[in-house]
Amino acid sequence: MPFDPADALLGWAIGKVADTVINQLSQRVKGYFNKDDLQMALEKGIVAAERAEQELASDLLLFALWEPKEIRSFKEKVLSQQEINQELKRPLENQGKPRLEFLKAGFSRVAAPKKLNDVALERWLKNFIDAYFEKTSAIQFQVAWMDYQQQVIHYFQDVQFAGIAVEGQIIEEAKKLTTIFVMPDVVGEKLRSEIERVISFEFDALRPREELAEARKRQQELLQEQRHRVRQAENQWSGSKVLASQLLKKNGTKKVVLLGEPGSGKTTLLKYFAVTLAKGQTADLGLAEGTEWLPILIQIRELVLHPEMSIVNYIRHFAETTLSMSPLPGGFFEAWLQDGRALILLDGLDEVAEDRKRLEMVQKINTFLAQYENNRAIITSRPVGYRRDFFRTAEYAHHLIQPFDDEKINTFIDHWYDTRTRDKAEAERQKDSLRKALAENDRIELLARNPLLLTIIALIHRYQAQLPRERYKLYDKAVETLLRTWDANREITNHKTLEYLRLDDVRRLMEQLAYWIHSQGATGDNQGGTLIDKDSLLSQLSRYIQELKKNLERYQAREEAERFLKLIRERTGLLNEQGKDCYAFVHKTFQEYLAAQEINDRKGDGFEVVLKHIQDHLHDPHWREVLLLLITQQKRMELVNCLNEILNFDDPPYDKWLHRNLFFAGSCLAENISVSDSKLVDKILSELVELETSKSSDDIISSKVFRTLCGLYDTEFEQAALKKLKQAPIEKIGKVRLQNYRAALGDKEGAVSMLLNLLRDDNSSVRSRAADALGELGETSEEVISGLLNLLRDDDSSVRCNAAWALGELGETSEQVISGLLNLLRDDDSSFERYNAAWALAQLGETSEEVISGLLNLLRDDDSSVRYYAAQALERLVKKSTEIVPALVVYLEQNPSEENRATIIDALWRFIG
């Protein structure tokens, strides 16, 4: 009798079996299975078996001589057997089909003493097994996908800081990737023909020329070429800048090579992609919603350790070992790959150290991606060691990760402290402190554009409550991380690379090398280090290594120098290969810091070596940072000698008007040095304040005085400097300028209070500058906003304009502020007021109908500056609200010849495109 799923008793038995089988599954797998799905699989198997049985002759039927009641009772007993249940769960745990012999034995055992027809029984069971396995395999693939999702999220979502050692750090708690991640920008590559033209030109310029055989002439050639290189750098990577998430857009290139400098965030980006897709958030990456994607993230340094494995087999090996997954169904990854729904993320091609192995890996990747050509893929590498012909241009788009800009640094800081400090007020205080520390030092701010170095900076700030005023301590930690802890955490060990040198020798050699390189000349580039010829670099390294390891032969030192250079270039990222056989420090700051350390190490020969460098290089811009980093490390009595050497330096006659010695001495104090001679400090501060009050000071000198004195913030000299400024004649400093000093030197509250009073000063110039100062200070108290609103009705136009600017800068979006700015927007007398109001409204992001209407009206203004600022404001606001788009379309239709038409079209294009 055929099985009828409506049979209540048998249906109940099947449901009970489903419960039993699911309960017997391993804990990991159990939660993914649905009882109803398993019941359907059992029912499908029984139906298939009994339909096949109907085709047999009556004497071959399985239950030929059985009563219907006996048949139903038999099935219930069979399904309740523990041995049968164990077989039924096999496909659910990826152990293959239920085994025919085990099921056959179970059936025979229950049937006894009656006998079953062996031919019929085997046929019945084979049909049941095939149908049951087919149904459970579909379930199993879905279960495997869900399990894989969870394991990918679990494995890749934590951001660890174990490779970054910071004083005061006990154990930095891992953070969820998505809570602190900042999406970087990338730029595309120019067309191949243009790149080849640029590269060819640069390589021709860098080829050694016989007529310039002397080393010094060669170095001068390199310095000139480096200055040219700074201007040419944008030629290769001049595509439009986009968020890295847009690389995966449906209409984009399927295969991408993503290049990035050490610490630029390549690995973190790929982990973010993998976790985001595993969570099903496809829209966040520009992919079509409603489609499941399988992220496959492969660390190429791990893949290369398994040369015998195909990439597909390695993926399975990684999932079942590293991700600790249950054995996966056969063909699981192949099914996704063949369907074109996998995102293949191959990270760190540059980490394959040997050129031969790297080329073999490139060939392996090319073959794999060609086999599964419909999938999307991203391959990352450092530029060093990457050859442009590894992956064909026609199939692979090449992009370069960009450094963080100010907005991304600020976003990182927000994420950093929002995830670490529960007290919101304290979190904001910490954010402001770190932002201020970065803003006060352009060298540190340059380092912060690298995500790894920004993380180091943030860790130091978190565990030491502030960034050290002694910048050398910050640079020391960054270099230490790059040379030791960060790369050690990536399992790159020293003994595999160097033969004679120990890891402790690397730092010493880098200091010697940095000093020698810095001595070769200035670059004209504030970021990159001095360009050096490879042969010269290796020769110098060989000499240093022989001095360090005196038992080495010259050829051994040369070979070790080559290994050392390879280690520093490929693993630490401190030195980069730039062009053909030329090298430079990736950041000039590291070159300067390590050069300063080398000079400091030479003090064993006497302190005169420090004074000699001051005498030789004071006021040379190329050596300024080296000297500051050197001086700040000296002891209290030695600092007195350094400052006296600076103040008494014999400058040319014109320096009595430039005051360079005084300004440099002030910069030394700003490094938070501790000087034993208080009279000497008092002399420096007094001369700076005297220069501030001098009527003979021009704008440049005045600006330098202000920056130098404000640089004393958070040092032991700030209160002494502020006291001297307060004692100076107010008419010589200026009422508002004194408050700017107070705010910069730790008395912001007092400065704001006084500036509020100055908003009511009889002098309109004072009122105007006070409004400007409040905007710069970022103070958003009710009293400040009220005072600035009053100035929007001031009799003086410049006061009204500065008040509008300050309100826009402060970001206050109250009804009163918007209303006041709209009134200025309609001012007929002053075009200056109209475009300041337009700028402020754009800053505030106000997209009300009244604001948009007012800005559109300004596009017809008689003053071209007003029209320009109105168009810029609309372009900015179009990103804030879709309601603006229809208004802009109407404007374009009514004003076909308007000169701001291009700006409006550009705004629409950015929003819609």
Side-chain angles (χ1 to χ4, degrees):
M1 184 177 87
F3 166 68
D4 181 1
D7 186 316
L9 188 59
L10 188 54
W12 171 82
I14 290 173
K16 190 174 181 181
V17 170
D19 273 335
T20 303
V21 171
I22 289 176
N23 287 333
Q24 290 177 351
L25 296 175
S26 64
Q27 197 62 37
R28 173 186 289 279
V29 177
K30 185 188 301 182
Y32 295 127
F33 279 98
N34 185 298
K35 174 184 173 182
D36 293 338
D37 288 337
L38 186 53
Q39 281 183 251
M40 288 179 63
L42 288 165
E43 291 169 2
K44 184 175 181 179
I46 293 172
V47 168
E50 296 193 343
R51 281 178 179 167
E53 188 182 19
Q54 291 176 21
E55 300 172 4
L56 297 173
S58 59
D59 60 335
L60 292 178
L61 292 176
L62 179 60
F63 305 107
L65 302 176
W66 288 42
E67 294 293 328
K69 186 177 180 180
E70 290 179 306
I71 296 173
R72 184 163 51 244
S73 175
F74 172 79
K75 291 176 181 177
E76 292 168 8
K77 288 180 181 178
V78 165
L79 291 174
S80 66
Q81 283 193 94
Q82 178 68 20
E83 294 83 353
I84 299 292
N85 291 167
Q86 288 293 326
E87 290 302 308
L88 292 176
K89 78 171 187 178
R90 282 176 58 82
L92 304 181
E93 291 195 327
N94 197 31
Q95 295 174 353
K97 293 181 178 182
R99 290 167 292 186
L100 177 64
E101 62 272 21
F102 280 80
L103 293 183
K104 192 173 179 181
F107 268 61
S108 298
R109 188 165 48 250
V110 173
K114 285 192 173 185
K115 289 190 176 181
L116 298 169
N117 185 302
D118 282 348
V119 174
L121 177 59
E122 191 161 315
R123 181 183 176 91
W124 196 97
L125 288 174
K126 281 182 177 179
N127 281 282
F128 169 81
I129 289 170
D130 288 344
Y132 175 75
F133 184 74
E134 178 186 351
K135 184 65 178 176
T136 53
S137 292
I139 302 172
Q140 191 182 5
F141 263 60
Q142 184 62 25
V143 170
W145 155 237
M146 295 168 67
D147 191 18
Y148 181 77
Q149 277 181 303
Q150 294 303 313
Q151 293 305 101
V152 165
I153 294 169
H154 175 75
Y155 187 77
F156 291 117
Q157 72 175 343
D158 287 342
V159 179
Q160 303 285 349
F161 302 97
I164 305 174
V166 171
E167 185 179 351
Q169 177 185 357
I170 303 172
I171 298 177
E172 175 67 12
E173 180 185 355
K175 293 298 174 185
K176 301 305 179 192
L177 177 62
T178 51
T179 64
I180 63 172
F181 180 73
V182 178
M183 185 67 69
D185 291 321
V186 298
V187 293
E189 192 175 37
K190 263 193 173 183
L191 294 177
R192 179 74 173 176
S193 58
E194 296 181 37
I195 295 170
E196 288 174 340
R197 177 176 55 79
V198 173
I199 291 177
S200 174
F201 170 80
E202 291 185 349
F203 281 10
D204 285 344
L206 288 171
R207 289 193 183 100
R209 301 174 186 172
E210 292 182 4
E211 66 269 20
L212 295 176
E214 296 178 27
R216 195 63 193 168
K217 288 184 179 180
R218 170 62 175 155
Q219 186 56 42
Q220 288 302 315
E221 180 192 37
L222 286 178
L223 290 174
Q224 292 174 10
E225 174 55 30
Q226 187 169 14
R227 295 180 186 115
H228 172 72
R229 186 185 297 277
V230 172
R231 297 190 296 272
Q232 291 288 331
E234 296 179 357
N235 283 339
Q236 181 176 359
W237 304 102
S238 59
S240 59
K241 185 167 71 171
V242 298
L243 286 172
S245 56
Q246 297 304 299
L247 292 173
L248 301 175
K249 284 185 71 172
K250 189 174 181 181
N251 58 351
T253 306
K254 286 186 177 179
K255 299 180 181 69
V256 174
V257 174
L258 187 60
L259 302 177
E261 298 296 343
S264 61
K266 301 181 293 297
T267 298
T268 304
L269 176 65
L270 294 199
K271 287 181 178 180
Y272 178 83
F273 283 166
V275 170
T276 301
L277 283 192
K279 289 182 175 181
Q281 298 167 349
T282 54
D284 293 351
L285 301 181
L287 297 172
E289 295 187 67
T291 302
E292 290 182 334
W293 286 79
L294 185 81
I296 299 173
L297 176 51
I298 299 172
Q299 300 290 341
I300 296 178
R301 68 170 180 268
E302 300 295 334
L303 175 61
V304 79
L305 298 177
H306 302 275
E308 76 289 353
M309 285 188 184
S310 68
I311 292 182
V312 171
N313 286 341
Y314 173 77
I315 295 168
R316 177 182 291 276
H317 168 77
F318 177 81
E320 294 178 353
T321 56
T322 306
L323 296 185
S324 303
M325 291 189 64
S326 299
L328 288 160
F332 174 75
F333 287 108
E334 290 87 342
W336 288 87
L337 289 164
Q338 288 164 3
D339 201 30
R341 289 188 294 125
L343 172 62
I344 304 159
L345 304 166
L346 296 147
D347 184 39
L349 180 63
D350 59 283
E351 294 183 34
V352 183
E354 295 180 30
D355 292 339
R356 178 184 58 81
K357 288 185 177 180
R358 189 179 302 164
L359 185 56
E360 289 173 355
M361 184 54 60
V362 167
Q363 293 169 342
K364 192 171 187 175
I365 291 171
N366 268 315
T367 301
F368 172 68
L369 295 181
Q371 181 181 358
Y372 300 105
E373 60 182 356
N374 291 324
N375 297 282
R376 296 182 181 276
I378 299 178
I379 305 159
T380 70
S381 176
R382 296 179 184 181
V384 172
Y386 180 78
R387 275 181 22 201
R388 194 56 185 74
D389 60 350
F390 279 166
F391 300 101
R392 294 180 294 278
T393 305
E395 296 180 32
Y396 294 84
H398 284 64
H399 288 78
L400 181 70
I401 295 182
Q402 295 298 283
F404 276 0
D405 56 20
D406 292 343
E407 182 179 353
K408 293 190 187 301
I409 291 174
N410 283 325
T411 301
F412 176 91
I413 292 171
D414 283 337
H415 291 179
W416 182 261
Y417 276 112
D418 285 343
T419 58
R420 284 163 172 74
T421 309
R422 293 183 179 179
D423 185 324
K424 289 186 177 180
E426 175 61 16
E428 292 303 317
R429 190 194 71 77
Q430 296 270 25
K431 292 176 191 177
D432 290 343
S433 172
L434 181 51
R435 288 186 178 115
K436 183 176 177 62
L438 293 177
E440 287 175 346
N441 195 293
D442 56 356
R443 295 291 171 132
I444 296 178
E445 190 176 36
L446 277 176
L447 293 184
R449 303 202 178 283
N450 178 286
L452 170 66
L453 298 178
L454 177 56
T455 303
I456 296 171
I457 290 167
L459 277 169
I460 292 172
H461 184 265
R462 169 167 162 73
Y463 283 97
Q464 299 178 7
Q466 59 184 5
L467 292 186
R469 292 294 305 192
E470 302 86 348
R471 288 180 297 130
Y472 75 90
K473 293 181 179 179
L474 178 63
Y475 300 157
D476 177 75
K477 193 55 59 182
V479 169
E480 188 73 6
T481 295
L482 293 175
L483 283 178
R484 291 173 180 266
T485 54
W486 181 52
D487 220 54
N489 194 49
R490 290 173 165 235
E491 301 178 3
I492 305 297
T493 55
N494 177 53
H495 71 273
K496 293 180 181 179
T497 307
L498 302 176
E499 188 170 339
Y500 306 112
L501 295 170
R502 295 177 293 108
L503 197 56
D504 290 341
D505 298 325
V506 172
R507 174 66 176 258
R508 180 76 190 100
L509 282 172
M510 288 305 298
E511 292 173 359
Q512 292 177 297
L513 199 60
Y515 179 83
W516 173 74
I517 290 175
H518 198 79
S519 300
Q520 303 308 302
T523 68
D525 177 11
N526 288 329
Q527 296 189 44
T530 304
L531 198 64
I532 295 294
D533 181 83
K534 180 180 180 180
D535 284 339
S536 300
L537 185 62
L538 286 172
S539 296
Q540 196 68 27
L541 263 174
S542 299
R543 284 195 288 271
Y544 291 148
I545 290 171
Q546 276 194 292
E547 291 172 6
L548 195 62
K549 305 291 181 182
K550 300 188 182 300
N551 58 336
L552 292 184
E553 298 293 334
R554 181 179 297 179
Y555 79 90
Q556 292 174 314
R558 175 76 181 198
E559 289 173 351
E560 188 75 340
E562 291 175 349
R563 289 187 286 267
F564 177 88
L565 182 58
K566 187 178 181 69
L567 170 72
I568 296 301
R569 180 192 69 187
E570 296 186 353
R571 302 293 358 119
T572 73
L574 277 173
L575 280 176
N576 265 3
E577 189 173 14
Q578 299 184 14
K580 185 179 177 64
D581 292 336
C582 294
Y583 287 81
F585 274 88
V586 65
H587 284 285
K588 189 177 182 180
T589 295
F590 293 143
Q591 176 180 307
E592 293 165 332
Y593 163 68
L594 290 168
Q597 295 304 103
E598 169 62 14
I599 301 170
N600 207 39
D601 289 343
R602 295 182 184 182
K603 283 197 306 181
D605 298 330
F607 184 71
E608 289 72 19
V609 69
V610 175
L611 298 179
K612 182 69 166 61
H613 278 85
I614 293 175
Q615 295 162 6
D616 290 346
H617 301 297
L618 189 64
H619 307 319
D620 180 347
H622 182 57
W623 285 88
R624 174 183 172 82
E625 286 296 311
V626 176
L627 293 181
L628 285 173
L629 292 168
L630 172 65
I631 291 168
T632 191
Q633 298 180 63
Q634 306 311 308
K635 296 178 181 178
R636 290 164 59 86
M637 285 302 298
E638 293 171 343
L639 282 169
V640 173
N641 292 335
C642 290
L643 290 174
N644 278 321
E645 186 69 38
I646 292 166
L647 292 171
N648 297 322
F649 186 72
D650 187 15
D651 266 357
Y654 54 75
D655 206 62
K656 64 182 178 181
W657 291 287
L658 299 183
H659 310 284
R660 292 188 301 170
N661 294 351
L662 178 61
F663 287 136
F664 196 91
S667 296
C668 291
L669 296 184
E671 295 290 329
N672 202 31
I673 58 179
S674 183
V675 187
S676 61
D677 188 343
S678 58
K679 291 183 179 179
L680 179 60
V681 172
D682 187 75
K683 176 178 183 295
I684 295 170
L685 296 179
S686 296
E687 289 185 9
L688 284 169
V689 173
E690 183 181 345
L691 198 54
E692 165 64 39
T693 59
S694 171
K695 292 182 179 180
S696 61
S697 295
D698 62 12
D699 288 342
I700 294 178
I701 297 298
S702 179
S703 176
K704 284 184 174 293
V705 172
F706 187 80
R707 287 201 305 272
T708 303
L709 285 170
C710 290
L712 301 176
Y713 167 74
D714 205 25
T715 69
E716 62 178 86
F717 312 113
E718 73 171 357
Q719 290 305 310
L722 184 56
K723 182 178 179 180
K724 288 184 178 295
L725 286 163
K726 288 179 178 179
Q727 291 172 344
I730 189 65
E731 65 276 7
K732 292 188 175 181
I733 294 181
K735 296 178 182 179
V736 175
R737 188 172 173 92
L738 178 59
Q739 306 318 312
N740 286 332
Y741 271 122
R742 290 180 68 178
L745 293 172
D747 188 16
K748 182 179 178 180
E749 186 177 342
V752 170
S753 177
M754 184 57 69
L755 287 169
L756 284 169
N757 291 332
L758 294 178
L759 292 180
R760 299 183 288 272
D761 197 274
D762 293 337
N763 188 321
S764 62
S765 178
V766 172
R767 297 196 301 275
S768 180
R769 289 199 298 272
D772 188 75
L774 285 168
E776 290 183 352
L777 289 178
E779 178 60 45
T780 58
S781 68
E782 183 178 340
E783 196 174 2
V784 169
I785 300 301
S786 176
L788 293 171
L789 280 171
N790 288 334
L791 291 191
L792 291 179
R793 299 184 294 273
D794 197 274
D795 294 336
D796 189 281
S797 175
S798 65
V799 174
R800 297 194 296 272
C801 289
N802 275 15
W805 176 87
L807 287 167
E809 190 73 8
L810 294 177
E812 175 60 41
T813 57
S814 68
E815 184 178 339
Q816 296 92 330
V817 170
I818 300 302
S819 176
L821 291 173
L822 282 171
N823 287 334
L824 280 190
L825 205 64
R826 295 186 285 266
D827 190 292
D828 293 332
D829 297 330
S830 171
S831 60
F832 189 47
E833 289 177 27
R834 293 197 295 278
Y835 71 67
N836 267 279
W839 178 89
L841 287 166
Q843 282 289 103
L844 298 178
E846 177 58 37
T847 58
S848 68
E849 184 178 343
E850 194 175 6
V851 169
I852 300 307
S853 176
L855 291 173
L856 286 170
N857 287 334
L858 290 189
L859 293 175
R860 303 181 183 89
D861 199 278
D862 294 336
D863 191 301
S864 61
S865 296
V866 174
R867 296 196 300 272
Y868 172 79
Y869 279 102
Q872 291 293 315
L874 285 165
E875 180 182 344
R876 178 167 183 160
L877 293 178
V878 80
K879 301 171 186 176
K880 301 269 186 180
S881 171
T882 56
E883 296 175 5
I884 301 177
V885 174
L888 295 181
V889 172
V890 170
Y891 173 83
L892 288 170
E893 290 174 346
Q894 295 176 351
N895 299 273
S897 60
E898 177 65 49
E899 67 177 276
N900 283 295
R901 191 167 180 262
T903 305
I904 300 304
I905 291 173
D906 186 54
L908 284 170
W909 181 257
R910 292 185 190 213
F911 180 79
I912 296 170

